[in-house]
Amino acid sequence: YLILFLIIFYINSFLYIFLSVFAVFILSPFLVVVPFLVGLPFEQLIKQRYIFLAKRKLKKCGCKKIAITGSYGKTSTKNILFQILKDQFNVCITPKSFNTPMGICKTILQELKQTDDFFVVEMGARKRGDIKFLSKFVGVDFGIITPVGNCHLQTFGTIENLENTKYELCENTSGVVIFNGRSKSTQKLFCRYPYKKFLVCTEDGFAYAKDVVVDQNGSRFTLCIDKSQIECKTKLLGKSSIDNVVVASAMAYVLGVSLVQIKNAIGSLKPTPHRLELIKGRVNVIDDSYNSNIDGFCEAVEVLSKFKGRKIVVSPGIVELGKKQFEINYLAGEKVADVADIFIIENETNKKSLFAGAFKAGMKKEKILFASGRKELQGLLKSIIFPGDNILFENDFPDNIK
């Protein structure tokens, strides 16, 4: 644009100005693309360098590597496993939702210590081969497969592609793999895996929870592992959180942690930020803003139902569902209508499907409100909330999704 300004300023011929302006606008996309293409090989070389350094450090460290993948529950399971293991072992984990090659490299190079006994790494995928690459890079000793379901279907296309991608962890693991049997897809992967394995979260499994009681203060349940039982309490909300506890406890038990130590750790578990995190105050807030699947959506609404007082759900719905986008968000709207007094739908993406589901399930139109962005949402909440209300923030879109 500076070139364009100089042309207009110094050239008097209208024809030359017109041709110059036309040329600048035609060439401007290339001025963006060409530097990107030139820099791409150098960026790849830098990434390969980081991966090389991370691999070398992992070999020198000698810690056991525990990898976790699945459609959802990865971060929560990872954090719970860390809290159970940390009193008995030195443990390093990938922070937050770091689950890409560069995020894992950064953790290894900056956080992993020579004295660490275990490195717990979360692995995410956008396409076939991603988990295979990460598994070979890390050198997995133990694996955990969390529930596999309708997530990221826009990029994977089919549930079979998603299952096969998660199974890449099993194909590149040298030790025990634990499968959360709460989803049919994960059960299929368990049956497919021929080596040492444990199915959990099913009544006939290696580990499961029974007599589960969930209220607004947390959960109580009996933890059953390897035909032994122990009574547990936790501040974590929701039955899905208990499933995550069971998975992490089973892995800790396999690694040599006693049931008594597991029980004590469960009693002091802290929720993963933004995943069914309860924030108490004059208004109770359930922060589930990092959720992005229908099972978790329904679970969060069920948790809200346990609270006394008026119930408000704020959500933009769920994305990256491909052809099932409308259908699944319609179902989400129905679930909200069963519990909530007020439903605030954020943004435009799923507005029609969420509204249709909630209205069809009997929610009055005047109880379904809309907010086009965070600023409008804040103003709307200020105008309608009262002390004693309970607000569930379910999922949160990045700024580039309208």
Side-chain angles (χ1 to χ4, degrees):
Y1 292 108
L2 176 61
I3 295 172
L4 183 60
F5 171 77
L6 292 174
I7 290 171
I8 295 172
F9 188 80
Y10 285 106
I11 297 177
N12 294 323
S13 170
F14 175 78
L15 178 60
Y16 286 153
I17 291 175
F18 175 78
L19 292 174
S20 300
V21 170
F22 181 76
V24 168
F25 277 103
I26 290 296
L27 293 174
S28 59
F30 295 97
L31 296 176
V32 175
V33 173
V34 171
F36 170 76
L37 293 176
V38 171
L40 188 60
F42 295 98
E43 182 181 346
Q44 293 301 317
L45 285 173
I46 292 171
K47 287 182 178 180
Q48 290 302 318
R49 175 64 175 168
Y50 279 125
I51 291 172
F52 170 78
L53 292 173
K55 280 184 175 180
R56 188 172 68 178
K57 185 174 180 180
L58 275 175
K59 287 182 180 179
K60 288 182 178 179
C61 181
C63 61
K64 296 293 185 182
K65 283 83 67 177
I66 306 170
I68 303 174
T69 194
S71 295
Y72 45 91
K74 297 185 295 292
T75 304
S76 296
T77 301
K78 175 187 67 182
N79 290 339
I80 293 168
L81 180 58
F82 168 74
Q83 292 180 72
I84 295 175
L85 293 177
K86 67 182 178 65
D87 290 334
Q88 192 169 340
F89 302 101
N90 295 320
V91 186
C92 176
I93 65 171
T94 48
K96 300 180 180 179
S97 296
F98 280 29
N99 57 24
T100 62
M102 289 302 100
I104 294 171
C105 278
K106 183 178 180 181
T107 306
I108 293 169
L109 295 173
Q110 296 183 2
E111 305 294 335
L112 187 65
K113 300 180 180 64
Q114 293 289 333
T115 55
D116 284 329
D117 301 300
F118 294 102
F119 177 41
V120 184
V121 54
E122 178 181 339
M123 294 183 176
R126 304 289 294 181
K127 63 183 185 303
R128 290 289 301 271
D130 283 352
I131 299 300
K132 179 181 179 180
F133 173 81
L134 291 174
S135 300
K136 286 184 175 294
F137 157 37
V138 171
V140 180
D141 297 295
F142 301 94
I144 293 175
I145 309 291
T146 67
V148 176
N150 291 324
C151 291
H152 307 304
L153 290 181
Q154 189 170 337
T155 54
F156 282 101
T158 65
I159 190 68
E160 288 77 17
N161 287 337
L162 186 58
E163 291 169 356
N164 289 331
T165 300
K166 301 308 179 181
Y167 191 72
E168 292 170 2
L169 174 61
C170 301
E171 294 173 320
N172 295 279
T173 300
S174 61
V176 175
V177 179
I178 290 179
F179 297 80
N180 184 331
R182 189 59 69 179
S183 76
K184 292 182 179 179
S185 291
T186 315
Q187 291 180 19
K188 285 170 60 178
L189 299 185
F190 170 80
C191 295
R192 182 175 166 186
Y193 186 59
Y195 303 110
K196 192 169 183 180
K197 58 188 177 181
F198 294 107
L199 185 67
V200 302
C201 299
T202 61
E203 288 190 10
D204 57 345
F206 175 74
Y208 59 93
K210 67 177 185 178
D211 304 326
V212 178
V213 177
V214 179
D215 58 31
Q216 66 184 67
N217 297 311
S219 310
R220 302 188 306 276
F221 60 96
T222 301
L223 176 63
C224 306
I225 298 183
D226 196 20
K227 300 180 180 179
S228 297
Q229 299 184 9
I230 195 163
E231 302 298 320
C232 298
K233 289 183 180 180
T234 178
K235 293 180 180 179
L236 302 185
L237 296 171
K239 293 179 180 178
S240 62
S241 295
I242 304 307
D243 285 345
N244 296 334
V245 170
V246 170
V247 174
S249 298
M251 178 56 75
Y253 184 82
V254 169
L255 297 175
V257 182
S258 71
L259 279 178
V260 173
Q261 290 169 318
I262 290 172
K263 175 181 178 176
N264 293 336
I266 290 172
S268 60
L269 287 176
K270 296 179 180 178
T272 299
H274 312 299
R275 291 170 173 84
L276 284 178
E277 179 184 15
L278 177 61
I279 304 169
K280 292 185 177 182
R282 54 191 294 271
V283 173
N284 290 319
V285 173
I286 304 172
D287 181 358
D288 202 37
S289 54
Y290 278 10
N291 201 349
S292 59
N293 64 86
I294 186 59
D295 293 322
F297 194 113
C298 295
E299 172 70 20
V301 173
E302 183 181 346
V303 168
L304 179 65
S305 71
K306 307 295 182 183
F307 284 68
K308 297 178 180 179
R310 200 167 59 147
K311 302 169 182 65
I312 302 170
V313 174
V314 179
S315 180
I318 310 167
V319 293
E320 296 185 338
L321 296 173
K323 295 179 180 179
K324 291 184 174 289
Q325 181 95 0
F326 189 95
E327 173 190 341
I328 290 178
N329 281 284
Y330 185 96
L331 173 61
E334 289 182 319
K335 294 296 182 182
V336 171
D338 290 340
V339 170
D341 298 291
I342 297 174
F343 185 17
I344 301 178
I345 301 173
E346 290 183 272
N347 302 1
E348 296 293 325
T349 304
N350 297 313
K351 181 177 179 179
K352 291 182 179 179
S353 52
L354 290 170
F355 175 84
F359 183 70
K360 182 69 174 180
M363 201 169 199
K364 295 181 180 178
K365 284 185 178 180
E366 60 267 26
K367 298 298 182 181
I368 307 173
L369 310 177
F370 304 95
S372 59
R374 288 183 175 86
K375 188 173 181 180
E376 186 175 343
L377 173 63
Q378 289 172 356
L380 183 58
L381 285 172
K382 285 181 180 178
S383 68
I384 66 170
I385 60 174
F386 295 97
D389 283 350
N390 306 284
I391 306 176
L392 167 64
F393 289 94
E394 181 60 26
N395 204 3
D396 188 21
F397 282 177
D399 292 335
N400 63 330
I401 297 180
K402 301 300 181 183

